[in-house]
Amino acid sequence: MKRQFNKGLRFEKFKEKKIPPFDKLFDIFKELLTYTSGDFDEAFEWLTQLDKEYNLTTPEYTLDDFLEDLKNKGYVKEELDDGQGNGGTEIKITSKTEQALRQNALNQIFGKLKKRGTGNHKTKAIGNGDEHTGEFRNFHFGDSLDRISMTESIKNAQINNGVGNFSLTEQDLIVQETNFKAQMSTVLMIDISHSMILYGEDRITPAKKVAMALTELIRTRYPKDTMDILVFGNDAWMISVKDLPYLKVGPYHTNTVAGLQLALDILRRKRNTNKQIFMITDGKPSCLRMADGSYYKNSNGLDKYIVEKCYNMAAQARKLHIPITTFMIARDPYLMQFIEYFTKANQGKAFYTGLKGLGEMIFEDYEQNRKRRIRKI
């Protein structure tokens, strides 16, 4: 038998990892597509400008080669140019690219996290699950066989019946407790009012990235959870996951009440016990839709009538045991005071954050909320 020795550490000269030219350009192109809301022509024009400035391509692999690879790999497709009537074609991204954008956002925001097995939220309650608590109890009728601790059961049988006359009865069986795992239903609200791009600051792109990353995270790590996304401006409406890359800010005021009403309507239809609302916003509520279909708008300061409606919605969510976590991308004192009262009415949470670290903050709060057991309505 050969004896094995540890070889220790071996130091070598650093060798830069060779990245295929397509992968290198595609990483950049995915970022550009996110910023241009899925506009292929604009993103490719930006890529052309960057190539001229930083020499991203080589004579052996040009942008034309990259475009051809995008088509061959199924990331883009040519379609008839609708609305022009001249029989021309335009290039659009495919669902494969949409998924790549979500995965790219997930890697950027949660890249340091390791994937776990599929399952639901950990809670402090005892019940069916796959994580042991370290506690034991006697076997009860109806307990599944895979939860029986054979070591503890055999030890119990030896104590009760002796080693010489060993027998294992139902009274000897010991069950190991596991943590109950609950499902979570989340509604993510994204403010798409005009203020999300005011003052030369792009706030919608980070919010969009967070939505894509969180959606992809839930799909891959917590597939039993549900995630619904809505946007709110003058009104509120649901969007699908595939719509996220194309999300844009509109010439809207901020109808926070409409967003909360739609979020509560969505969650009322969920059978899961654990429910929550995440709201990403940077502006004050400035719009309401009246019963006759007209809009009441006021962008000057905080309108008392609109604010009171927001507080009422927060209190209504509280009665339904639905916490609202607000991620406020603004630090104006009067807006922070509004969010403070809003959070108090709901007994939820609020984070006053900039754009940097928004994704990590939302993930941490999502994980913490998963561990809480919210009693049934």
Side-chain angles (χ1 to χ4, degrees):
M1 179 176 175
K2 291 185 179 179
R3 191 175 176 184
Q4 305 220 352
F5 297 92
N6 293 328
K7 296 182 179 180
L9 299 176
R10 182 177 180 181
F11 295 90
E12 295 180 350
K13 187 177 180 180
F14 173 75
K15 295 180 181 179
E16 185 178 358
K17 185 179 179 181
K18 290 186 178 180
I19 303 176
F22 173 82
D23 294 340
K24 179 181 177 182
L25 290 175
F26 192 48
D27 285 342
I28 301 172
F29 193 60
K30 284 184 288 188
E31 281 295 306
L32 297 177
L33 283 173
T34 302
Y35 279 94
T36 60
S37 298
D39 189 321
F40 174 85
D41 292 333
E42 186 179 358
F44 203 83
E45 184 178 345
W46 282 17
L47 184 63
T48 303
Q49 295 299 323
L50 289 174
D51 183 34
K52 291 179 180 177
E53 186 172 353
Y54 298 104
N55 297 320
L56 301 177
T57 61
T58 62
E60 292 77 22
Y61 193 85
T62 65
L63 285 180
D64 290 335
D65 296 325
F66 175 64
L67 177 57
E68 195 63 29
D69 281 346
L70 285 174
K71 294 178 181 179
N72 294 335
K73 294 177 183 290
Y75 288 110
V76 298
K77 60 182 178 181
E78 289 185 317
E79 293 183 350
L80 290 177
D81 190 359
D82 51 352
Q84 299 296 326
N86 54 11
T89 60
E90 60 179 347
I91 299 177
K92 290 186 177 181
I93 64 175
T94 63
S95 59
K96 185 177 181 180
T97 306
E98 294 167 358
Q99 183 179 9
L101 294 179
R102 295 196 300 270
Q103 187 63 47
N104 186 54
L106 176 64
N107 292 337
Q108 287 183 355
I109 296 175
F110 309 131
K112 296 180 181 179
L113 301 173
K114 294 181 179 179
K115 291 184 179 179
R116 293 175 45 190
T118 60
N120 298 319
H121 305 289
K122 291 185 293 184
T123 68
K124 296 179 180 179
I126 302 299
N128 294 327
D130 56 13
E131 293 190 12
H132 295 155
T133 66
E135 299 179 1
F136 299 93
R137 64 169 173 80
N138 293 330
F139 176 85
H140 298 307
F141 178 78
D143 288 333
S144 59
L145 297 179
D146 59 345
R147 294 179 59 190
I148 295 176
S149 172
M150 294 307 300
T151 302
E152 294 296 324
S153 298
I154 293 174
K155 183 171 69 174
N156 214 23
Q158 290 176 338
I159 294 173
N160 294 336
N161 305 313
V163 178
N165 188 25
F166 178 79
S167 64
L168 183 66
T169 65
E170 181 179 337
Q171 287 69 34
D172 301 322
L173 296 179
I174 298 295
V175 170
Q176 188 163 13
E177 292 284 23
T178 55
N179 279 322
F180 177 83
K181 287 192 171 184
Q183 290 178 314
M184 174 68 80
S185 292
T186 302
V187 172
L188 178 62
M189 298 173 49
I190 304 176
D191 184 352
I192 59 168
S193 62
H194 186 61
S195 59
M196 290 290 277
I197 55 170
L198 278 180
Y199 315 115
E201 186 173 39
D202 177 14
R203 296 168 175 174
I204 188 63
T205 299
K208 186 165 52 177
K209 276 190 175 183
V210 167
M212 289 193 292
L214 189 58
T215 303
E216 193 67 13
L217 179 79
I218 291 173
R219 284 186 162 192
T220 56
R221 183 165 173 177
Y222 307 117
K224 294 182 181 179
D225 290 356
T226 66
M227 170 87 167
D228 294 280
I229 306 167
L230 66 86
V231 294
F232 61 103
N234 291 348
D235 295 291
W237 60 94
M238 292 181 63
I239 62 172
S240 64
V241 175
K242 66 181 184 65
D243 296 328
L244 282 172
Y246 313 101
L247 193 60
K248 294 181 180 179
V249 168
Y252 307 125
H253 287 69
T254 308
N255 192 343
T256 307
V257 170
L260 292 171
Q261 287 175 336
L262 180 56
L264 293 181
D265 288 342
I266 294 170
L267 291 176
R268 282 191 188 98
R269 297 193 293 266
K270 304 294 183 182
R271 296 182 179 179
N272 299 345
T273 303
N274 293 341
K275 302 174 183 180
Q276 64 180 351
I277 296 173
F278 285 166
M279 179 168 64
I280 303 176
T281 181
D282 77 317
K284 57 183 176 293
S286 59
C287 177
L288 283 177
R289 185 163 185 172
M290 310 305 289
D292 60 359
S294 62
Y295 294 93
Y296 173 76
K297 302 175 183 178
N298 186 359
S299 299
N300 298 321
L302 285 172
D303 186 285
K304 185 177 180 180
Y305 178 66
I306 298 177
V307 166
E308 287 298 326
K309 290 288 187 181
C310 291
Y311 295 156
N312 291 339
M313 291 302 304
Q316 183 178 342
R318 174 185 172 184
K319 290 180 180 179
L320 296 172
H321 310 291
I322 299 175
I324 302 172
T325 304
T326 305
F327 297 89
M328 190 70 173
I329 315 175
R331 293 188 177 273
D332 304 67
Y334 75 104
L335 292 178
M336 293 174 68
Q337 186 179 37
F338 158 68
I339 292 298
E340 181 181 346
Y341 289 141
F342 177 85
T343 303
K344 186 176 180 181
N346 176 256
Q347 290 191 347
K349 286 183 286 184
F351 296 95
Y352 307 96
T353 176
L355 301 177
K356 187 177 181 180
L358 177 64
E360 291 87 344
M361 193 175 296
I362 286 181
F363 168 75
E364 289 176 5
D365 193 64
Y366 181 79
E367 285 283 87
Q368 290 174 6
N369 290 350
R370 296 177 89 243
K371 299 176 185 178
R372 297 191 309 183
R373 179 66 175 170
I374 305 172
R375 67 184 177 87
K376 280 193 174 183
I377 298 171

